[in-house]
Amino acid sequence: MRKLSPARLFTLPLVALGLALSLNVAAHLDDKEPMQSYRQSWFAMLGMNFGPIGAMLKGEMPWDEARLQMFANDMAALTSMDVSRAFPPGSDKGTTRAKPEIWSDMDDFKAKLDDLKTAVAQLQAAAGSGDKQAIATAVGATGKACKSCHDEYKSKDYLY
Amino acid sequence: MRKLSPARLFTLPLVALGLALSLNVAAHLDDKEPMQSYRQSWFAMLGMNFGPIGAMLKGEMPWDEARLQMFANDMAALTSMDVSRAFPPGSDKGTTRAKPEIWSDMDDFKAKLDDLKTAVAQLQAAAGSGDKQAIATAVGATGKACKSCHDEYKSKDYLY
């Protein structure tokens, strides 16, 4: 059997898979751009859990520690996934705001994803402490981890 | 402060949040239908990790236990999230194939999601065993859990 690169191993079945899945999840999986869809889903879910935590801190939403913990847990579940594998070579095209620097500086990009994972783990721990100041600090660190990566690797415009 | 229902608590900030996030994740978060987007992202990501496992079993993709474990781990991370909270009252409209029975039989719907979580945990454990037969059995049970819920609660057509 011909040896395939790891990136190719991941991409290969998804091309076929995309066709099957498009019947099921058409709204959220573009079968022509499965990797772009996958990673955008991941970022969207992460943001949708981070948003309400920020809203609670700002008083825009009632303070509710059980729900805050749930949002933080779900962020931790997401960052436990290695989303970098959804950036294989060639997936820098199409509906994406991923800058070319992701592929030229992949090690740094992965390091920044690890920083995010660390920050989210601290947010998850802080959420359980009930200490609002500790939560605010962890939220700040998490937001900083998001921004540090966006500044470097996310375009303001779609690159297609 | 006026008491809000749990469903409303989740929906409330997302309406505002959707507006902010739409700048970032336009392709995968419809700010008019954030709940529909959220759950469809979840299902798409789950399917994209389950697909390659099935492909390995069918020999359509090279057998690779490390990658199989990674896919199973990511499915477990996703099913550790409570996606049922992305089905609040009122989110039965728009771009969705969620059948009305989800809301009228919410307890059963949640029980079926729990069944899926259990099946995926068994798949994750089997993946680590290196026992191909155990993996095939766990994949079958996971597929059955998907189907059992789809049969009941997922329309073949979009309901809009």
Side-chain angles (χ1 to χ4, degrees):
Chain A
M1 187 176 293
R2 197 161 59 86
K3 189 147 173 57
L4 297 170
S5 73
R8 180 92 180 115
L9 276 180
F10 188 53
T11 313
L12 184 71
L14 290 170
V15 175
L17 183 69
L19 297 172
L21 282 179
S22 65
L23 298 171
N24 297 323
V25 287
H28 274 63
L29 183 60
D30 182 336
D31 59 7
K32 288 179 217 69
E33 301 179 355
M35 293 293 105
Q36 290 85 334
S37 291
Y38 187 93
R39 65 205 191 204
Q40 286 165 21
S41 290
W42 187 89
F43 286 110
M45 294 182 78
L46 193 69
M48 285 183 71
N49 281 289
F50 194 37
I53 296 177
M56 282 189 202
L57 276 174
K58 288 185 208 156
E60 295 166 2
M61 178 181 177
W63 186 260
D64 181 331
E65 277 175 28
R67 295 186 71 74
L68 195 149
Q69 180 76 71
M70 183 189 65
F71 294 130
N73 289 348
D74 284 0
M75 290 180 75
L78 286 163
T79 54
S80 80
M81 304 171 72
D82 177 14
V83 78
S84 75
R85 64 187 173 90
F87 292 85
S91 68
D92 54 339
K93 296 166 186 66
T95 306
T96 185
R97 290 167 66 190
K99 288 168 80 171
E101 285 77 6
I102 288 177
W103 288 271
S104 53
D105 303 334
M106 184 54 82
D107 287 349
D108 181 64
F109 179 64
K110 286 183 179 175
K112 285 190 163 50
L113 283 170
D114 276 343
D115 290 345
L116 174 68
K117 186 177 177 175
T118 303
V120 167
Q122 284 164 358
L123 174 56
Q124 186 183 27
S129 75
D131 176 347
K132 200 165 174 174
Q133 188 51 54
I135 294 168
T137 302
V139 164
T142 301
K144 205 173 150 187
C146 295
K147 187 179 183 306
S148 136
C149 199
H150 291 175
D151 284 350
E152 204 93 33
Y153 296 116
K154 185 180 177 188
S155 170
K156 295 207 187 305
D157 303 305
Y158 281 91
L159 302 170
Y160 63 99
Chain B
M1 186 177 293
R2 196 161 59 87
K3 188 149 173 55
L4 297 170
S5 74
R8 180 95 179 112
L9 277 181
F10 188 54
T11 313
L12 184 69
L14 290 172
V15 175
L17 183 69
L19 297 172
L21 282 180
S22 63
L23 298 171
N24 296 322
V25 288
H28 274 64
L29 184 61
D30 182 336
D31 59 7
K32 289 178 215 71
E33 301 179 356
M35 293 294 105
Q36 290 85 334
S37 291
Y38 187 92
R39 66 206 191 204
Q40 286 165 20
S41 291
W42 188 89
F43 286 110
M45 294 182 77
L46 194 68
M48 284 183 72
N49 281 288
F50 195 36
I53 296 178
M56 281 189 204
L57 276 173
K58 287 184 209 158
E60 295 167 0
M61 179 181 175
W63 185 260
D64 181 331
E65 277 175 28
R67 296 186 71 76
L68 196 149
Q69 179 77 71
M70 183 189 67
F71 294 131
N73 289 348
D74 284 1
M75 290 180 74
L78 286 163
T79 55
S80 79
M81 303 171 73
D82 176 15
V83 77
S84 75
R85 63 187 174 88
F87 292 85
S91 67
D92 54 339
K93 297 166 186 67
T95 306
T96 186
R97 290 167 66 191
K99 288 168 80 172
E101 285 77 7
I102 288 177
W103 289 271
S104 54
D105 303 333
M106 184 55 80
D107 287 349
D108 180 64
F109 178 64
K110 286 182 179 176
K112 285 190 162 48
L113 283 170
D114 277 342
D115 290 344
L116 174 67
K117 186 176 176 173
T118 304
V120 167
Q122 284 164 357
L123 174 57
Q124 186 183 27
S129 74
D131 177 347
K132 201 163 174 175
Q133 187 51 55
I135 294 169
T137 302
V139 164
T142 301
K144 205 174 152 187
C146 295
K147 186 178 185 305
S148 136
C149 199
H150 291 175
D151 284 350
E152 204 94 33
Y153 297 116
K154 185 180 178 188
S155 169
K156 294 207 188 305
D157 303 305
Y158 280 92
L159 303 170
Y160 61 100

